[in-house]
Amino acid sequence: RDWGKPAQVRVIEEASRRDGFISRESIFEVLEFDEDRSLVRFSMPASRVRDALVERGLIEEGVSDPLQAVYDGPGKAIGYAVPREFVELAEGADLLS
């Protein structure tokens, strides 16, 4: 949130509530996006924040991308997966209450 990426934060929180995965449909519902909106590069801001945190020594090098697009063949992503360490971070920070 402090990095100005509220949409990505909401998706990470929601995916954490759902065992680490959030569907495309749920993202559009949670963020109130129009159906014609693209999710291309949606995960990039979260990855840049992760890189900055690594650079500052606040998280370890090699931590996975916080939002990982999931595909069922070619085409649009069917949703996003959130690695376990981010689910645990959200749970530990009491973000899910």
Side-chain angles (χ1 to χ4, degrees):
R1 267 187 200 90
D2 294 343
W3 292 74
K5 307 301 177 200
Q8 287 76 12
V9 170
R10 293 272 321 273
V11 169
I12 290 169
E13 290 171 346
E14 283 299 317
S16 296
R17 286 185 185 93
R18 302 166 191 231
D19 295 322
F21 177 79
I22 184 167
S23 70
R24 177 184 192 83
E25 294 79 19
S26 295
I27 291 170
F28 280 67
E29 182 181 311
V30 166
L31 298 178
E32 299 178 359
F33 283 170
D34 292 331
E35 289 183 29
D36 61 345
R37 171 115 183 214
S38 171
L39 292 180
V40 172
R41 296 196 263 287
F42 180 77
S43 63
M44 289 179 71
S47 296
R48 285 193 297 270
V49 170
R50 188 243 10 243
D51 293 345
L53 293 173
V54 168
E55 187 175 297
R56 292 178 181 193
L58 299 172
I59 60 174
E60 292 183 30
E61 182 100 26
V63 171
S64 300
D65 286 332
L67 289 170
Q68 300 172 355
V70 176
Y71 297 90
D72 185 15
K76 296 178 181 177
I78 61 168
Y80 281 86
V82 174
R84 188 78 217 146
E85 55 258 333
F86 289 97
V87 172
E88 291 169 357
L89 179 64
E91 291 169 348
D94 207 18
L95 297 175
L96 305 179
S97 345

